[in-house]
Amino acid sequence: MRNLLGGKGANLAEMTNLGMPVPQGFTISTEACTKYYEDGEKISEDLEKSIMEYIEKMESVTGKKFGDLENPLLVSVRSGARASMPGMMDTILNLGLNDSVVVAFAEKTGNPRFAYDSYRRFIQMYSDVVMEVGKKYFEELIDQLKEKKGVKLDTELTADDLKLLAEQFKAEYKKKIGSDFPSDPKMQLMGAIKAVFRSWNNPRAIYYRRMNDIPGSWGTAVNVQAMVFGNMGETSGTGVAFTRNPSTGERKLYGEFLMNAQGEDVVAGVRTPKSIDHLKEIMPECYAQFVEISNKLEKHYRDMQDMEFTIENKKLYMLQTRNGKRTAAAALKIACDLVDEGMINEKEAVCMIDPKQLDALLHPQFDVIALKKAKPIAMALAASPGAACGKVVFTAEDATEWATKRNEKVILVRLETSPEDIEGMHYSEGILTVRGGMTSHAAVVARGMGTCCISGCGEIKMDLEYKCFTLGGRTFKEGDFISLDGSSGKIYGEAIPTVEASISAELGRLMGWADQYRVLKVRTNADTPKDAKQAVLFGAEGIGLCRTEHMFFDGERIKAIREMICSDTVEGRTKALAKLEPMQQGDFEELYEALGGNPVTIRFLDPPLHEFVPTVKEDIEELAKTMGKTVNDIENIIASLHEFNPMMGHRGCRLAVTYPEIAAMQTRAVIKAALKVKTKHPDWNLFTEIMIPLIGDLKEFSYVKSIVVKAADELIKNSNINLEYKVGTMIEIPRAALTADEIAEEADFFSFGTNDLTQMVFGFSRDDAGKFLDAYYTNKIYESDPFARLDIPGVGKIVKFAVEAGRRVRPNIKLGICGEHGGDPSTVAFCHEIGLDYVSCSPFRVPIAKLAAAQAAIRQKK
Ligand code: ADP
Ligand code: MG
Ligand code: MG
């Protein structure tokens, strides 16, 4: 009943049913939380009434009474959503104490020190958690008192000291809040419950939900539970333990505990906890019972458990169990071990791994210990995962030069990157940009390369003239060290050592199982033979998107393409294109070789031409000289290419319509390369797919296709080789999706270009949206970045519509997705459901997509 009771509540109930020692309590459901928000953030009379009914029930079961002066009932108030959420509210312990109850409690337990310790903790937690008076004020008061008394540990404070502290805490509360600390236990309880509901929508929780695809509509449950006390003396204590080691996966009880302590003392780091093994020596019976319970829980949930317990006067209580969080390496080992132990089957093992977690295995990571000591100075978009550490450089040229000539590790810091920066990006350990979102140039290219990238860090103040920037109150000059965590978006102003990725045998086993169950094929987006080889190593089954323009930026090529752009005659353009053709052909040959006969989808020239023109004076002069034009001529041509909205301008197939010779040249390069490779490997069934970008109309497609077919057929006829090829389109303009039935008459395949499609459907620019999307998350208008996770209700609907329309007309039409979404697990699941043939994603996401595809197939069958 996790959906209704939240994870913590459901598992507490389950443990109670299993006969384990769990303190009495009740759970306020997630529905009550949703209702609270519907009612305008109010607890309804009904709810309040039923809460009090259950308090009475608890009173009769425990024989204690809320607010009683003889035998008082104290409770904890604990949040618990469906999925465990670290951003949520902290727990409040010892609720129900006030100035008179504490006296009774001290008498009843015969332990005034303990009673006042509980009381001061309660005031502290309530003030901090419910009323948001910072923790630090209370900690300062404790430190002052300890100093005055000349003691080091909290445990050395006496009952009178703690009583004094409680008084000081209440005074602090009054100072900060302006009213007295609430003494009525019922008011305390309602305040705490409301605080849990409210915490569902605090910024940390919202951020965490966005990162983990948790919908805001779920709400949180609240658990109200009778207190048991680990702070009653030397035969009491509290601790946490895992049934297996969460960092390595080793099968051995792993945990820590503290004697005479309560709640979070173990993790707070105030005192050093002891290893769980030590419990065996000091309380053998408790230890044996705990081992037995933990084995039983692991068998019951059939997964590694993370448990919390408290011992009150030698009696063990279980306070929580859940499937434990673990590192990627541990996750793989545990999944394989559980299969070998016969506890789960292969399908369950496949479903157990969070696909996103695999990132950590495929990219460098920070040294864990060094990372612990480091403090981030800022945070921005986690655009491409992995960890990077290096010296700051500000231009792509410097990156290349420092890396190749000086053998330095560098981090490239730019306002934004452009295609000209590719080489420098290749030589950088990591990339940091001031502007741009998840599908900005930097983000897309970095993911393709497997290079760590953080984008859209608007807090950076750049000073390019003096080659420095300021961030987090510090100035970084060229050559200063910084470190980036592309998986979390955290930026560190210091050097943190990294460790290389290592692929384990367990990953191989798991991917083998995933391959058995998935239906979707997984291809890769690769523009260079190098990326393609990497992707094949990761198990890619073809290229779903080769962006040919990325081949145009190298040395001589960029000159030829500039000549082409600046020619005013067909002849001039044809001459320049003739220089490019053999270079493109060579690249395609290498691509085919790297793919070994798997399909290759080659997209024809797509970006607006102004991206290619020279910006530097010398380059303009050189170009003018080669072309026999004046510098002024060239500058005029460049100026004429200016567009107000280039992403909606002269690009994609529109280039082929105005300059058919470009499409013809690219076709010749593709077909000649295929023919040559086919001669070398006659047994390969070469799948060549030519993809025309940005189509919005059937006639537009037919026109470009006729150019392609003419050029291709001529070459094939003359070669006497039986080469098949396909011509299809990217569906990335809403009109193409809406007229997909017409386009399918001519197109052999559709590949959904969901980056542009998202941009066009939403009507905002993928390069600029980052600037205002944050306000959309905070105001809960959007829950996730539509460029990272496909917007299923909107963009997904139009994709599904096009799939159905296309299949109606051409039942065997091949369908895929090649936007950045292709590597996002929730999008992969959607692609499986609507019956696409494949997804295509950057090389390093191939294993992630495969695992997500297998999970989607397994979950659908269930
Ligand atoms: P979290 O979700 O942050 O783990 P919990 O609700 O589990 O928060 O509470 C944190 C800790 O508070 C528990 O591990 C336990 O030590 C203590 N705690 C919670 N409820 C009780 C209780 N009823 N009796 C004693 N200790 C409790
Ligand atoms: Mg807990
Ligand atoms: Mg596009």
Side-chain angles (χ1 to χ4, degrees), residues 8 78 91 240 264 308 319-320 322:
K8 198 179 284 164
R78 320 170 65 187
T91 297
V240 296
E264 309 286 69
E308 297 173 7
L319 291 174
Q320 188 171 349
R322 64 180 158 205

Side-chain angles (χ1 to χ4, degrees), residues 561-582:
I561 191 119
R562 285 171 178 168
E563 254 182 82
M564 196 273 306
I565 295 169
C566 295
S567 304
D568 21 33
T569 60
V570 177
E571 290 74 44
R573 279 195 293 275
T574 314
K575 201 177 117 214
L577 286 167
K579 294 187 194 169
L580 280 173
E581 191 180 308

Side-chain angles (χ1 to χ4, degrees), residues 243-244 251 292-305 341 343:
T243 54
R244 296 173 195 237
R251 187 182 181 186
E292 195 197 314
I293 287 176
S294 65
N295 286 336
K296 210 166 152 186
L297 284 173
E298 192 180 85
K299 283 217 181 74
H300 184 75
Y301 288 104
R302 299 187 305 140
D303 195 355
M304 184 261 265
Q305 295 298 297
E341 290 161 28
M343 193 134 39

